[in-house]
Amino acid sequence: MKQIIKTGLIVVVGLFFYAVGVAFFIEPSGLITGGGTGLALFIHHMWGVKTSYAVFVINTVLFFVGWRVMGRKFAANTLLSTFCLPVEIHIAEIIASHYKPVDDIVLCTVFGGLLIGVSLGIVIRTGASTGGMDIPPIVLNKYFGTSISRVMWACDICILAVQALFTDINLVLYGIILVVIYTMTMDKTLILGKAKTQIKVVSKKSDEIRRSILQDVDRGVTVMYGRTGYLGKDTEICLSIVSTRELAKAEKLVHEIDPEAFIIVSRVSEVKGRGFTTQKKYL
């Protein structure tokens, strides 16, 4: 129950960033965007219906479609996001009405994109669905086996295209930049705090290096066996995952033991396991 409450609070906070981005930056500037919010913004600009009301209707219809097709478990996973987002957009619109809107289109594009990207990243990291236009691709995947990601892209492109027909070309171009910004921000948010550094060390003194990393850096080491390409000699490769702060220390220790050691450093997007997502165990 505590975990459910914690997840719910994170989703509510995450969606509020989305609502602020829409109410303070996207809606006043007339920018276009994808998803159910983009469709709601189109309805708002065409017929004057409040964005929050349009989002509520769109999300509700899609929610019941998803419930009917995918079942109760799916509906439970999308329930909070579906009905919380329009409420939070409405609250954000009320707050925004007391402030002078930002009249710089570039600032609106950048900050709107950042807020939406952070919001989507936070919600998806909890394992919850954002609801809305996420539902049609999932339904189509169930019946026709279509790719969810491709259908999502197709839906976004269609929504952007419909808005582009009735929007100034400059706003359309800024809208495309907005989508790029929030997509990149979402990707970064999803791996925030999870990315680590992988090091591979090829050396004749691999045993000493292994012991040094275990004792002095306090990180695990996996020893792999390989063969050199030029001389065809068997060799050992020490592989370890360290944090960014530990990288310099690890490299220094390796070069103190073997100045000629060959080190490969690469970023990994996520690491799970003892010492990272679970406690270290000392024997």
Side-chain angles (χ1 to χ4, degrees), residues 86-108:
V87 171
E88 295 199 56
I89 290 177
H90 183 66
I91 293 171
E93 285 175 336
I94 294 173
I95 297 172
S97 65
H98 293 86
Y99 293 90
K100 182 181 177 181
V102 178
D103 56 3
D104 189 316
I105 190 67
V106 176
L107 289 177
C108 288

Side-chain angles (χ1 to χ4, degrees), residues 2 6 15 20 22-23 60 62 75 117 121 134 163 174 176 182 185 189 193 207 212 214 217 222 224 260:
K2 287 183 179 179
K6 179 182 177 182
L15 290 176
V20 170
V22 171
T60 301
L62 292 174
D134 287 357
Q163 294 174 87
Y174 278 116
I176 294 171
Y182 77 62
T185 305
T189 304
D207 198 51
S212 180
L214 286 169
V217 184
T222 298
M224 302 185 295
E260 297 182 355

Side-chain angles (χ1 to χ4, degrees), residues 30 43 50 126 135 149 160 211 226 244 257 268 277:
I43 294 171
K50 277 195 172 183
T126 65
I135 295 174
S149 59
L160 289 170
R211 288 198 300 268
T244 305
I257 296 170
V268 290
T277 55

Side-chain angles (χ1 to χ4, degrees), residues 82-198:
T82 296
F83 296 105
C84 184
L85 180 59
V87 171
E88 295 199 56
I89 290 177
H90 183 66
I91 293 171
E93 285 175 336
I94 294 173
I95 297 172
S97 65
H98 293 86
Y99 293 90
K100 182 181 177 181
V102 178
D103 56 3
D104 189 316
I105 190 67
V106 176
L107 289 177
C108 288
T109 303
V110 172
F111 282 92
L114 289 174
L115 286 167
I116 289 177
V118 169
S119 169
L120 294 174
I122 290 173
V123 173
I124 293 172
R125 278 184 68 154
T126 65
S129 169
T130 55
M133 291 304 294
D134 287 357
I135 295 174
I138 296 172
V139 172
L140 290 173
N141 174 262
K142 179 180 179 178
Y143 283 107
F144 304 105
T146 54
S147 168
I148 292 177
S149 59
R150 289 180 181 178
V151 175
M152 287 181 72
W153 273 104
C155 289
D156 278 343
I157 290 171
C158 289
I159 292 170
L160 289 170
V162 168
Q163 294 174 87
L165 295 174
F166 305 95
T167 308
D168 180 76
I169 185 63
N170 290 332
L171 292 177
V172 173
L173 296 177
Y174 278 116
I176 294 171
I177 295 172
L178 171 72
V179 173
V180 172
I181 290 174
Y182 77 62
T183 301
M184 293 175 64
T185 305
M186 179 184 69
D187 290 340
K188 293 295 183 183
T189 304
L190 286 172
I191 64 172
L192 187 66
K194 297 182 178 181
K196 300 295 177 184
T197 303
Q198 173 184 269

